[in-house]
Amino acid sequence: MPANFRIPRSSRALTRTHKAAVAGVATLGAAAIAFTAVPGGAHTTASADTVAAPVQIGSQPVKDVKASVTDQLAGTSVKIQAIEAKKQAAAQHKARTAAAQHKAEAAARHKAQAAHKAAKAASRSAERPRMETVAAATSYGNNLDGWIRKSLSIMRQHNIPGSYSGLHRNIMRESSGNPAAMNGWDINARNGIPSKGLLQVIQPTFNAYHVPGTSANIYDPVANITAAANYAAHRYGSIDNVNSAY
């Protein structure tokens, strides 16, 4: 190179300019890279001075959330217990009500049964005097037929068996229908206790089998028939079973 050749002074200035341009291009490139790194739809107008505050999770907020959840669970448990207690109380009340109703119904049935029995007994008591009154009011002839029929009425009241034909048959055989008849020749007469009346009854037998409500006179036709029928019922089952001396 010729010794007198010199590089112009302006070359150093260009060099500084170039450096400045390169620095600017680098800065623009970094900005472009930063811009492309921003997600789509995000705002890019924030200034460089705006810096997001760092998210910190402290222990106190977590504790507060846990306590709140615990309180809510405790409140729910209390509510459930209250509901269950109400259900149990309602069930117990229903059971007590049903038991009381059952007891009342049983008492009502018992009372009704007792009233029915009492009414039935009263009806029977009222019916018995009515029947006896009707029997007493019935008039019977003062003859053998009337005596037999009246005796049969009294016999029914005292549950003494016997029929009209059975009485009539034995009366006719023993006394021929004479209420004053007396046997003075048989063994009873010889022993001093002669047979008397329609059915020829001795005095000891008449006294033993006399039916209340009839005359105490052995010669009374109705008293004689009824006492003899009562004696025959105890010994033979019924006056109808007697066909000879008894």
Side-chain angles (χ1 to χ4, degrees), residues 28-234:
L28 291 174
I33 293 170
F35 179 80
T36 58
V38 176
H43 296 286
T44 60
T45 59
S47 63
D49 295 335
T50 304
V51 180
V55 178
Q56 296 181 355
I57 300 177
S59 62
Q60 185 63 35
V62 173
K63 291 181 179 179
D64 293 342
V65 171
K66 183 177 180 181
S68 176
V69 171
T70 302
D71 292 341
Q72 291 179 4
L73 291 175
T76 303
S77 177
V78 171
K79 290 180 180 179
I80 293 174
Q81 291 176 358
I83 293 171
E84 291 297 327
K86 288 182 179 180
K87 288 182 178 180
Q88 292 179 1
Q92 293 175 355
H93 176 71
K94 185 176 180 181
R96 287 194 297 269
T97 302
Q101 184 177 1
H102 178 72
K103 186 176 180 180
E105 291 176 353
R109 286 194 299 270
H110 179 73
K111 186 176 180 180
Q113 291 174 356
H116 178 71
K117 289 181 179 179
K120 192 173 181 180
S123 177
R124 287 196 300 266
S125 298
E127 184 67 16
R128 190 177 298 110
R130 189 189 70 81
M131 293 177 63
E132 292 176 356
T133 301
V134 171
T138 303
S139 59
Y140 300 98
N142 190 22
N143 51 39
L144 182 59
D145 178 75
W147 300 331
I148 293 175
R149 293 187 184 280
K150 188 173 181 179
S151 294
L152 287 170
S153 176
I154 298 172
M155 288 164 60
R156 283 193 293 269
Q157 295 177 28
H158 294 274
N159 297 318
I160 300 172
S163 65
Y164 185 98
S165 62
L167 291 173
H168 188 272
R169 182 182 70 250
N170 282 283
I171 289 171
M172 296 306 294
R173 185 188 67 251
E174 294 292 334
S175 65
S176 300
N178 179 12
M182 182 179 69
N183 188 319
W185 55 267
D186 64 3
I187 186 64
N188 292 322
R190 290 195 294 270
N191 290 332
I193 47 173
S195 301
K196 302 175 181 178
L198 289 174
L199 282 171
Q200 293 294 282
V201 183
I202 60 176
Q203 190 67 50
T205 301
F206 179 83
N207 295 339
Y209 293 95
H210 173 261
V211 177
T214 62
S215 173
N217 183 1
I218 193 172
Y219 287 107
D220 179 85
V222 174
N224 187 280
I225 294 172
T226 309
N230 191 24
Y231 163 74
H234 282 83

